[in-house]
Every structure is written in C-alpha cells, then in structure tokens.
C-alpha cells in the first residue's frame, strides 16, 4: 500500500488518467457525451502539462520535441477517436513513469553512494586532539560527555566518538589504540581494515564492533567522502556529447513523422490516417534510452570501483587506443619494500637505523607520494620495536613517541616537518640537502655507493645533517602482467611506460609485465609532451561503431584517444594532459585523483581494462537501443500509413516500443562484459 501511494505521488496524472478511463468505460454505453467531455478535459490538462514540460526542457538546454505527443492527442480528438485520445494521454504519463523508473534504476549505484554520506558526529565537549589526554580510551566516557551535531558543525582538532556501526564523519586521525573499519563505501574493499593509533581515517568508512576516539583533521567539506560525492553528482548532472547529439537527432525524426503522417492523409484522403501515424511516432529511444544507457554505464563503473567526473569520459574510455602507465605504484605495488638503511661515508650523527626510519616514517605518514607507504610501514615497525625495548627496560617515561608536526610536502621532491623537536627532511638528495636541482644524484655519490638498477632511495636529513639513505625495491603488482595481456586482447596494443626512474630499473619492471615501449628519466613536462605527440597519430584499430558515431558528435576519427594511468603527486599534470586521466587510489585524496577524469577507488589495476570494457558495452547498448527503437517506430508509422494498425492499437504499440528501447538501454547495467 505504501509503495502504491508513493508511486501515485510521483506520477499523479497517470493515476488520474487511469481513473478517467475507468469512469469512461462505465459511462460509455448510456452516457457517451459525458465520457467525451471527460476525455476532452483530460486532454486539455495533459496539453497544458506537456507544453509546460517542453518550455522547461528548452530552458534547460534540451530539445522539446513533445510536439509529437501534442499533435497526436489533438488529431485523435479532432477525428473523434476518444479512446485513442485517452490512450495517447495514458501513454504520455506511463512513459514518464517508465522514464522515472529507468533513470532511478540506471543511477541506483550512484544514489547508493550519496545515501551513505555521513550526516552526524559525536563531539566530546571541550575535547582537544591530544592522544595523551585520552590514554584511558572511551571506557570512562558517558553519553553526557559528548553532543551530537551535524557533520558541517565539526571543527578542526575536535575529538569525536564513533560508535559501532556508525560512519566516520570526517577525515581524521585515530586516537584509540586500534579500530576495525569497513571501507567498502569508499573503495569497494570487501575485507575490513585494521587501524592502529595515529592512522589516518577517511570519512565514509564504517566502524566495526568497538567504539573509538578520533581527532578531526579535515572539515566535512574537505573530507574524502565529500570529494566522492562531488564526482558522483558531477556524473549524474552531466550529459555526454552523444546524448546531446541524440537530442538533436530527435528533431529530424519529428519532421520525418510529420512527413509520413501528412503523405498518408493526402494520399488516402482520410484524416484519421494522420492520427494513426502520429500515435506511433516516438522519439523516446533518442530522448530517454540514450541518457539511460549512459547513466547505467556510470553506475556500472561506480559499482566496479571507478568514479567518473562526467559522462563524456565514457565516450573516450570506449575509444582509448593508447594507454600510458606510470611505473611506481601503478604497475608496481604501492608499498616498495625497505631493504636496508645506508649510512653516509662520513656520518656526523649518532642515530641508529631504527631512529632514522622512525623519524622518516613519522613525516612520510602525511605524504601522498607512492614511496611514502613503504617508508611509513618500515617506520611503524621501527617505532614499535623501540617502544617495546623501552617498556622492557622499565623506562616508560622515555617511551619514544615520534609524533610529527608542521609537515608539508613539495610535489615530486619530498616532505619535511618536525619530529620530537628535530627538523626532518625526506626525499630526493638535492631536496633534503637543499643543494638545488643542479647537484642532482651526482652529489649523493660522494656519500653512498651506487644503487642497483632495481633499487630506489629516499634520503633523510636531521637538523640539516645527512643522516642516511633508505633503500627500497619495487616489485610488479601480481595482476599487472595479466592486465596488460587483457588490454592487448581487447585490441589496445599501444601500451607505454612513462617514469622518472632510470632506464635500467624501468626496463626490469617493463619486461616483467610485458610492455616494450618504455620512456624513462622523465619529469612531468616530458611525460605530458610524449602523450601530446601520441594523440596526433592515427588511432589504428577502433571499435566498429566508432567511426560512424564520431561523425555525429563532431570529433575527428583520426585522433588517437590517450589514457594515462598513474598515482603519485607528480602524476597530476600528466593525468590532466591525457584524453582520459585515470588515477589509481586506495580511496584517499590525492592530487592525482583531483586532476584525473576518472578515479579507481579500490587500488586495483585490473579495473583499467574493466573500465574500458564497461564503456564499450555502454556505447554498444545505447546504439542498439536507439536503432531498434527508431527502427520499430518507423516501421510502425509506415504500417499505420497503410491502415494496417488501428489508431487505438497504435497508441499502445508506441508504448511497447518505448518499453523495448528503454529496457534495452537498462541492459547496460548487466554484467556481461
């Protein structure tokens, strides 16, 4: 009953039309004139409502072609086909209901993300974000110690209570000793993630079974889930170029319908023939099926863990012919393994390897650079070992905390901050020594032995003194080679690696994953230049529909569509330079994801061919729905022109055509790639 009432509120005129039809049926035998007046009044209301909708469509930049419905209603009434007039009105409002259902179904995956947005937060009254102030955890806190506010009322450094089953309201830092979080709303990760004190928490994550405390480090408007919602709303409100073209193609279809109807009337001399043709004229395959298919494709991508900024991304994804990959963190794992700590040839500090790692890891916790993950993990291990030794000695007062303050990152260079009162810099040699780019790696040779081809390093200074070199190894992702093979099987044979690393180390990874075209030793501007040059080449093999479709949306069929897949901060300008910039993240905010046109939220490189396959199927389904729908409508109009379809039957046949094309468009939601 509730569902029926909700449906009636959404499409009240459909309910009114059905009721009017029932009353007309009861009155048709003895009170036909009354029934005629009922349908006449219904038609008048429908005309006013339809004209208002047409004006609103034009005002919002859409083509208002409901003129077909208006003329069809008037023509059936003019030839005294009252039941046909009622049937056309019924079709208009049932079509609106079907469209609403289709749009809702197509965008269900996107609206689910919006519905999961955090709404409230529990703020401790007078709380400050110092972990030491809450060393006893939440056991002593009572409900009276905190107040519930909307998320937009949370301030920086507020201490928040997150209860079991609740959503983390804003980005922050865990104060409690540990927590278990479900990140499936953010990145689709099926396994809950264990967090320890000091871990970064992202809004949108769902708490497990234990209440915990956290410190707010971002306002609600700047938090991770709000950025996800921005992408979702952008995709929902956008209209792809091919959908805008479909709107325009509805105009010549309308003209064609009037021509067929007019010729049928003139040749036959029967006015009813005009109405017979127009009741079968439906531009819905263009006006509804096309946008429904693209919205369904956007939802499919979201379900697969890929968020797009606009629906135009789907068009370009389906036409990608050259894919560029960054190496570190994209083709390789996000956490290169720390293999050793090298001390300088002439050490001036008395720090041990674990102290160096713990200090470096403390500042790298706030970095978004891909190497930071490995350093942070090694630093956490070193910190725990030092703290265990301090506890074992009974010297709890000297327990090393390694808390970072005033951390800032310089894109592509390194990160600096203060740890336990010391100035720490971690990054490139010339950055940490503040010697200028001209010194480069040559300066490090004076202090350290040469690295192996597959090794990489981050240098550390403490209070301006060179403390050591953190050496790491990079390994390919487990499914990187398979991803490359799948892309080749899909016909995307132009695959390249762009990296700032040395050619020797780049070639090792490229050989392991199956990429032959390698460009090494590049700065971001060099990567962008290579992508720009590639876009001017002939695209080679394309999907079968591409050349035909691009003629309608006004793009060159000879243009190569480039995709850049990357992750680190230094990838941001390169992602923006490609036709499709695809950022691989684990759900955290990065400069890469802000400059990309699409974002993989689940840190899975296999999503690259998956996204292309979904985009291709979306475009294919859209074309099928449009061609089948328009084909059936045209055949129906021709049959009606020869008096093969009665006017009342034609009105219901038109609705059947709409249902077929819309359901076909909704099949883009099905997992058949």
């Amino acid at each position: 009953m509730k569902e029926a009432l909700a449906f009636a509120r959404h499409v009240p005129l459909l309910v009114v039309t059905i009721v009017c039809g029932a009353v007309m049926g009861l009155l048709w035998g003895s009170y036909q004139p009354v029934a005629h007046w009922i349908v006449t009044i219904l038609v008048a209301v429908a005309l006013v409502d339809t004209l208002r909708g047409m004006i609103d469509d034009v005002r919002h930049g859409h083509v208002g072609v409901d003129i077909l419905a208006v003329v069809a209603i008037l023509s059936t009434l003019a030839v005294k086909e009252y039941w046909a007039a009622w049937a056309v009105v019924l079709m208009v409002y049932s079509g609106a209901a079907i469209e609403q259902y289709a749009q809702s179904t197509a965008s269900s995956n996107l609206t689910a993300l919006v519905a999961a947005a955090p709404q409230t937060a529990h703020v401790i009254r007078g709380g400050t974000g110092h972990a030491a102030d809450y060393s006893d955890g939440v056991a002593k806190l009572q409900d009276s110690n905190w107040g519930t506010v909307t998320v937009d009322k949370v301030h920086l450094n507020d201490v928040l209570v997150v209860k079991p089953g609740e959503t983390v309201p804003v980005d922050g830092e865990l104060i409690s000793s540990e927590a278990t979080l479900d990140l499936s709303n953010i990145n689709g990760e099926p396994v809950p993630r264990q967090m320890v004190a000091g871990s970064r928490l992202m809004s949108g994550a769902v708490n497990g079974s234990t209440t915990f405390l956290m410190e707010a480090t971002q306002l609600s408007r700047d938090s991770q889930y709000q950025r996800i919602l921005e992408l979702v709303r952008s995709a929902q409100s956008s209209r792809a170029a091919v959908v805008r073209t479909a709107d325009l193609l509805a105009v010549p279809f309308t003209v064609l319908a009037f021509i067929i109807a007019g010729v049928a009337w003139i040749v036959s001399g029967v006015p009813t023939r005009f109405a017979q043709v127009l009741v079968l004229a439906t531009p819905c395959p263009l006006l509804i099926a096309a946008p429904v298919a693209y919205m369904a494709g956007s939802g499919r991508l979201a379900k697969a863990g890929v968020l797009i900024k606009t629906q135009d991304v789907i068009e370009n994804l389906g036409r990608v012919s050259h894919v560029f990959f960054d190496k570190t963190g994209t083709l390789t794992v996000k956490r290169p393994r720390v293999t050793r700590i090298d001390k300088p040839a002439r050490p001036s500090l008395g720090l041990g390897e674990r102290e160096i790692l713990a200090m470096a890891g403390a500042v790298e916790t706030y970095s978004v650079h891909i190497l930071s993950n490995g350093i942070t993990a090694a630093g956490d291990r070193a910190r725990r070992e030092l703290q265990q030794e301090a506890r074992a000695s009974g010297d709890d007062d000297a327990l090393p905390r390694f808390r970072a303050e005033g951390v800032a990152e310089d894109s592509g260079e390194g990160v600096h901050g203060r740890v336990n009162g010391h100035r720490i810099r971690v990054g490139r040699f010339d950055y940490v020594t503040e010697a200028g780019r001209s010194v480069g790696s040559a300066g490090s040779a004076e202090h350290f032995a040469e690295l192996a081809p597959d090794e990489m390093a981050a240098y550390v200074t403490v209070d301006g003194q060179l403390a050591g070199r953190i050496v790491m190894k990079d390994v390919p992702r487990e499914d990187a080679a398979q991803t490359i093979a799948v892309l080749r099987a899909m016909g995307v044979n132009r695959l390249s690696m762009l990296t700032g690393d040395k050619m020797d180390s780049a070639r090792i990874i490229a050989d392991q994953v199956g990429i032959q075209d390698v460009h090494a030793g590049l700065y971001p501007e060099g990567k962008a230049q290579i992508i720009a040059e590639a876009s001017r080449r002939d695209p080679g093999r394309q999907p079968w529909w591409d050349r035909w479709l691009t003629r309608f949306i006004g793009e060159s069929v000879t243009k190569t569509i480039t995709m850049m897949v990357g992750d680190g901060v230094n990838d941001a300008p390169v992602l923006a330079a490609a036709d499709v910039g695809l950022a691989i993240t684990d759900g955290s905010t990065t400069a890469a994801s802000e400059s990309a046109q699409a974002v993989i939220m689940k840190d899975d490189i296999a999503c690259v061919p998956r996204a292309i396959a979904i985009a291709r199927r979306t475009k294919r389904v859209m074309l099928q729905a449009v061609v089948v729908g328009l084909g059936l409508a045209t055949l129906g109009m021709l049959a009606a022109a020869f008096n093969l379809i009665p006017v009342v039957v034609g009105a219901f046949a038109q609705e059947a055509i709409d249902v077929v094309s819309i359901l076909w468009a909704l099949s883009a939601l099905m997992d058949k790639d």
Side-chain angles (χ1 to χ4, degrees), residues 553-615:
I553 61 178
E555 293 186 10
S556 170
V557 296
T558 61
K559 182 182 185 298
T560 290
I561 299 299
T562 58
M563 175 194 281
M564 175 64 191
V565 185
D567 187 44
V569 172
N570 57 343
D571 291 330
V574 189
L575 289 166
D579 293 303
V580 179
L582 184 59
I584 296 185
T585 77
D586 60 356
S588 60
T589 301
T590 68
S593 63
E594 291 168 4
S595 61
Q597 291 83 46
V599 183
I600 294 175
M601 303 298 294
K602 57 198 302 182
D603 190 25
D604 185 0
I605 195 173
C607 286
V608 176
R610 178 78 165 148
I612 295 175
I614 290 173

Side-chain angles (χ1 to χ4, degrees), residues 403-431:
R403 186 178 180 86
E405 298 176 337
V407 178
E409 184 164 20
D410 296 300
S411 178
E413 298 291 338
V415 62
H416 65 272
R418 300 188 72 87
V419 178
N420 299 346
H422 296 286
R423 291 186 295 110
I424 308 298
R425 294 177 77 89
V426 185
R428 294 176 181 266
F429 179 83
D430 49 340
Y431 171 76

Side-chain angles (χ1 to χ4, degrees), residues 23-39 83:
V23 173
M24 286 171 58
L26 293 173
L27 299 176
W28 196 256
S30 304
Y31 301 95
Q32 277 197 25
V34 177
H36 295 168
W37 275 109
I38 290 175
V39 74
W83 276 110

Side-chain angles (χ1 to χ4, degrees), residues 44 77 87 103 106 108 160 175 216 223 234 300 325 369 395-396 417 506 521 526 536 539 545-546 578 634:
L77 198 62
Q103 292 283 9
S108 57
L160 311 178
I175 293 176
S223 290
S234 175
R300 277 285 314 285
F325 290 93
H369 191 275
D395 190 7
D396 288 344
R536 293 190 287 269
W545 65 81
D546 197 43
T634 303

Side-chain angles (χ1 to χ4, degrees), residues 130-142:
H130 297 293
D133 298 338
Y134 301 94
S135 57
D136 291 335
V138 297
K140 297 181 180 180
L141 288 174
Q142 304 297 322

Side-chain angles (χ1 to χ4, degrees), residues 322-341:
H322 195 155
V323 181
F324 295 89
F325 290 93
D326 179 55
K327 180 178 77 72
T328 307
T330 303
L331 290 171
T332 63
V333 295
K334 280 186 174 294
R335 186 174 291 179
R337 186 175 68 254
V338 173
T339 57
R340 67 179 188 276
I341 305 296

